[in-house]
């Protein structure tokens, strides 16, 4: 028996992944090796004959109670694929593992990523060593005060700024942390597309906050070239004025700005450029009042280190935000508008994840084949980054080209796409569902349409009937794309009556990290039933509003098709 309780077809295991170079094995319901390819046996230091029919936990008892057994048992119990990396002590090896449940059993593919992990560890240790060396030097120079209170401040700054990916929020946190330890008030300037903004602002005296804002609102546009911030931005060096005179203030700014600055009574100013990876993108200004006087050497040293840490944290946030924007633009550019065949109405929706900063590979597609059939595609590349979005574009193109080239059944399209993914070395694992809306002469006379579809690990479609009943369409689910599966894939077929609505979607629409899939899908059915009387566009909007009210934990793609009566006007 397989982990899900089904008996594996014997010929399926024989046909599975023939000639596949990627290490792979299949476990039956008793956790025995029912199949392992030569590459998989070699990586494990065994032979194929030495493992077939033997229990994995008996052969590898060190894996019990580790991420390997925990993930395998979870996949077998829930049917949800797992992707993880884990260290296997007996082989002194890091493995990257993909595991998913099929009718043949628990399929596991894995790669030795030990060298990559060693490189990453060495890089992390080198960075930590350099930062530790800098902190030791700062501690020696700053004596007890810097080694104590100021070092704690540096740690707080690193933690606070790296825990957010919003650059504006990061600089505001910085300003609030350095006041009052290093200065009476602080302004942080950022430069974007040649425009300077004073974003981070903090003052130790609540009664002076309004005055600080009035001055900060004017500062970016009224500073003369000799002022500290323009000088620091131009020359890339700190600017420290320990005794600010009225003549200096007059030379640096305009009468209007001087009037706003007067209540703040600045005595000393220290400006440090925000410079990271050779790019200068802002400056930090610290100011003291007459009660505090000039900066101490310890304060200036700490401020210099803090500015460098802040610059790195801000640059990381900027890079992540830029990557997310690029990925989302790429993703949206690839999500082309669907076709609108006669008497069929199509609507699509895409919603990126709002929790964490993650970009995924969800996509949809709809196009006509030369015989007039409408092809529908929806899929999800595993991963949440720019690479996943780029791979999504490759997969969409492959599916579209293969499905258009021949009028094959969806299951055959899936088989050809999977072989192309492996043959072209597209490094990915993805779920997908390909469907075709067909109509032969008899169906046309009867006013009916038929849906033929195949799933590669993807959630099944739903059909909202004209009477408001919601039906889960069912068919065998094949393994995901990306492993070169040569076993059998099958189609499902269902009638689509007039005035019914077909819904295709990715799992982000109903799956939640804190809930089970059955509960999530039941909630989706209930929402679809409640929206039965709405137009197709309103139905799609209503689904997102009801199911993603608290934000999307994962990317979401929806493809909806309404089958209007065949004899009705377009």
């Amino acid at each position: 028996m397989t982990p899900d309780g089904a008996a594996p077809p014997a010929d399926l295991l024989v046909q599975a992944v023939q000639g596949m170079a990627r290490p792979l094995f299949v476990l039956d319901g008793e956790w025995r090796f029912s199949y392992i390819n030569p590459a998989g046996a070699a990586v494990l230091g065994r032979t194929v004959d030495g493992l077939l029919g033997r229990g994995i936990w008996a052969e590898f008892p060190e894996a019990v109670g580790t991420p390997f057994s925990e993930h395998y048992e979870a996949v077998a119990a829930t049917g949800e694929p797992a992707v993880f990396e884990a260290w296997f002590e007996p082989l002194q090896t890091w493995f990257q593992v993909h595991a998913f449940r099929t009718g043949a059993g628990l399929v596991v593919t894995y790669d030795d990523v030990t060298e990559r992990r060693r490189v990453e560890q060495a890089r992390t240790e080198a960075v930590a060593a350099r930062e530790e060396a800098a902190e030791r030097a700062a501690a020696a120079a700053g004596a007890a005060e810097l080694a104590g209170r100021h070092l704690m401040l540096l740690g707080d700054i690193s933690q606070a700024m790296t825990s957010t990916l919003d650059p504006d929020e990061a600089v505001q946190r910085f300003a609030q942390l350095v006041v009052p330890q290093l200065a009476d008030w602080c302004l942080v300037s950022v430069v974007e597309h040649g425009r300077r903004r004073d974003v981070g602002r903090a003052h130790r005296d609540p009664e002076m906050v309004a005055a600080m804002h009035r001055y900060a609102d004017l500062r970016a546009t009224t500073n003369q070239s000799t002022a500290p911030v323009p000088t620091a931005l131009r020359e890339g060096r700190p600017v420290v004025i320990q005794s600010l005179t009225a003549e200096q203030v007059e030379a640096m700014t305009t009468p209007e700005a001087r009037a706003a600055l007067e209540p703040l009574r600045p005595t000393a100013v220290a400006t440090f450029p925000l410079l990271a990876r050779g790019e200068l993108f802002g400056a930090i200004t610290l100011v003291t009042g007459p009660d505090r006087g000039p900066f101490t050497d310890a304060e200036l040293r700490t401020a210099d280190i803090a500015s460098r840490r802040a610059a790195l944290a801000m640059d990381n946030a900027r890079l992540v935000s830029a990557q997310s924007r690029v990925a989302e633009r790429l993703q949206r550019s690839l999500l082309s508008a669907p076709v609108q065949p006669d008497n069929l109405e199509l609507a699509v929706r895409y919603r990126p994840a709002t929790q964490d900063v993650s970009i995924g590979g969800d996509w949809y597609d709809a196009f006509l084949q030369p015989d007039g059939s409408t092809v529908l595609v929806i899929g999800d590349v595993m991963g949440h980054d720019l690479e996943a979005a780029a791979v999504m574009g490759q997969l969409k193109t492959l599916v579209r080209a293969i499905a258009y080239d021949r009028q094959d059944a969806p299951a055959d399209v899936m088989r050809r796409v999977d072989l192309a993914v492996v043959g072209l070395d597209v490094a990915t694992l993805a779920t997908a569902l390909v469907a075709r809306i067909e109509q032969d002469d008899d169906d046309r006379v009867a006013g009916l349409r038929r849906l033929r579809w195949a799933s590669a690990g993807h959630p099944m479609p739903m059909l909202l009937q004209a009477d408001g009943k919601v039906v889960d369409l069912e068919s065998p689910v094949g393994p995901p794309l990306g492993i070169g599966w040569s076993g059998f894939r099958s189609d499902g077929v269902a009638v689509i009556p007039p005035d019914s609505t077909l819904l295709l979607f990715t799992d982000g629409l109903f799956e939640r990290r804190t809930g089970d899939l059955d509960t999530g899908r039941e909630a989706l059915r209930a929402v679809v039933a409640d929206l039965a009387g709405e137009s197709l566009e309103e139905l799609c909007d209503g689904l997102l509003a009801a199911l993603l009210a608290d934000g999307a934990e994962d990317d979401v793609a929806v493809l909806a098709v309404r089958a209007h009566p065949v004899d009705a006007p377009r």
Side-chain angles (χ1 to χ4, degrees), residues 53-122:
R54 297 181 180 274
I56 186 173
W57 310 132
E59 292 298 314
F60 301 99
E62 301 88 349
V64 176
T66 70
F68 296 95
S69 64
E70 294 170 1
H71 283 291
Y72 294 170
E73 290 169 359
V75 173
T78 67
E80 286 300 301
V83 180
F84 65 96
E85 291 186 5
W87 170 257
F88 190 56
E89 183 66 25
L91 297 178
Q92 293 290 294
T93 301
W94 277 98
F95 286 111
Q96 183 182 68
V97 182
H98 294 73
F100 54 93
R101 192 180 73 187
T102 72
L106 186 72
V107 179
V108 179
T109 65
Y110 49 104
D111 295 291
D112 182 345
V113 294
T114 307
E115 186 58 31
R116 172 174 63 77
R117 292 295 294 250
R118 285 174 177 166
V119 171
E120 292 173 351
Q121 180 65 24

Side-chain angles (χ1 to χ4, degrees), residues 518-541:
D518 291 339
T519 300
R521 193 159 178 115
E522 180 60 36
L524 173 58
R525 280 193 295 269
V527 173
V528 172
D530 290 341
L531 297 170
E534 304 293 339
S535 69
L536 192 63
E537 297 290 341
E538 291 170 337
L539 171 64
C540 291
D541 290 338

Side-chain angles (χ1 to χ4, degrees), residues 316-446:
N316 288 336
R318 291 165 66 242
L319 289 174
V320 171
S321 297
Q323 183 189 54
S324 297
R325 289 193 299 270
V326 169
E328 186 174 338
R329 284 197 296 269
L330 169 65
Q331 199 161 23
R332 290 189 182 278
S333 70
L334 292 170
L335 299 177
S336 52
V339 296
Q340 297 291 344
D342 290 340
N343 308 109
L344 286 179
E345 180 185 359
L346 277 70
V348 294
R349 294 292 186 273
Y350 170 72
R351 177 76 64 83
T354 54
Q355 294 188 7
D356 308 321
V357 178
S358 56
I359 295 296
D362 290 23
W363 90 92
Y364 55 75
D365 199 7
F367 55 91
L368 295 178
Q369 289 181 313
D371 66 355
S373 298
T374 301
V375 176
L376 311 172
V377 184
I378 195 156
D380 182 0
V381 174
M382 292 188 181
H384 297 281
D385 50 24
L386 183 58
E387 181 181 353
V391 170
M392 175 271 287
Q394 293 178 281
L395 267 183
K396 178 186 175 183
T397 302
L398 275 176
V399 175
R400 175 175 274 232
I402 289 174
Y404 185 85
D405 176 55
R406 302 180 193 171
Q407 281 68 65
D408 287 345
D412 293 328
V413 171
M414 286 291 195
R415 179 183 60 80
R416 294 173 62 204
V417 169
D418 199 12
L419 293 177
V421 167
V422 174
L424 295 174
D425 198 23
V426 180
T428 187
L429 197 66
T431 68
L433 187 145
V434 175
R436 186 171 67 195
I437 298 179
E438 307 170 342
Q439 192 177 51
D440 58 22
D441 293 339
D442 292 338
D443 289 337
R444 192 171 291 105
V445 171

Side-chain angles (χ1 to χ4, degrees), residues 117-416:
R117 292 295 294 250
R118 285 174 177 166
V119 171
E120 292 173 351
Q121 180 65 24
R123 186 181 297 116
T124 299
E125 290 174 354
V127 171
R130 287 195 299 269
E131 185 167 301
E132 182 180 355
E135 290 180 354
R136 284 200 302 267
E145 181 183 14
L146 187 58
R149 183 168 54 88
H150 284 190
L151 278 179
M152 291 180 62
L153 173 63
L154 292 174
D156 292 342
I157 289 171
S158 295
Q159 181 177 3
M161 297 192 69
T162 56
S163 62
T164 178
L165 293 173
D166 181 343
D168 287 2
E169 172 65 20
V171 297
Q172 181 59 32
R173 291 182 180 183
F174 177 91
Q176 291 172 335
L177 283 169
V178 298
V179 173
Q181 286 205 52
L182 300 182
D184 289 331
W185 50 290
C186 172
L187 298 179
V188 183
S189 304
V190 296
V191 178
E192 298 169 335
H193 310 295
R195 177 174 171 264
R196 174 183 151 199
R197 295 185 299 132
D198 285 337
V199 181
R201 307 175 182 185
H203 200 293
R204 69 181 303 166
D205 185 353
E207 294 184 357
M208 299 303 297
V209 169
M212 175 193 65
H213 285 308
R214 283 193 296 271
Y215 170 67
D217 291 341
L218 295 169
R219 189 175 75 142
T221 57
T222 59
N223 272 175
Q224 303 297 327
S225 61
T226 56
V229 173
T231 301
L233 293 176
R234 184 174 61 252
E235 301 179 6
R237 64 173 179 85
V239 177
V240 179
I241 303 175
Q242 288 283 37
S243 181
L244 188 64
T245 66
E247 290 76 17
Q248 288 174 313
V249 172
E250 184 174 357
M252 293 174 183
T253 189
T254 64
E256 182 183 11
R258 287 197 297 275
L261 183 61
E262 185 177 356
L264 296 167
R265 303 170 63 200
T267 296
V269 178
T271 297
F272 298 87
L274 289 171
L275 181 64
R277 299 179 178 93
E279 183 180 359
L280 201 159
F281 51 86
I284 293 166
T285 302
L286 302 175
V287 187
T288 66
D291 294 338
R292 185 165 186 153
F295 296 98
T296 66
D297 290 344
E299 289 170 341
L300 292 175
R301 282 192 295 269
T302 302
D304 188 35
I305 297 172
S307 67
R308 292 199 295 270
R309 290 197 179 186
L312 284 173
M314 289 177 60
D315 194 48
N316 288 336
R318 291 165 66 242
L319 289 174
V320 171
S321 297
Q323 183 189 54
S324 297
R325 289 193 299 270
V326 169
E328 186 174 338
R329 284 197 296 269
L330 169 65
Q331 199 161 23
R332 290 189 182 278
S333 70
L334 292 170
L335 299 177
S336 52
V339 296
Q340 297 291 344
D342 290 340
N343 308 109
L344 286 179
E345 180 185 359
L346 277 70
V348 294
R349 294 292 186 273
Y350 170 72
R351 177 76 64 83
T354 54
Q355 294 188 7
D356 308 321
V357 178
S358 56
I359 295 296
D362 290 23
W363 90 92
Y364 55 75
D365 199 7
F367 55 91
L368 295 178
Q369 289 181 313
D371 66 355
S373 298
T374 301
V375 176
L376 311 172
V377 184
I378 195 156
D380 182 0
V381 174
M382 292 188 181
H384 297 281
D385 50 24
L386 183 58
E387 181 181 353
V391 170
M392 175 271 287
Q394 293 178 281
L395 267 183
K396 178 186 175 183
T397 302
L398 275 176
V399 175
R400 175 175 274 232
I402 289 174
Y404 185 85
D405 176 55
R406 302 180 193 171
Q407 281 68 65
D408 287 345
D412 293 328
V413 171
M414 286 291 195
R415 179 183 60 80
R416 294 173 62 204

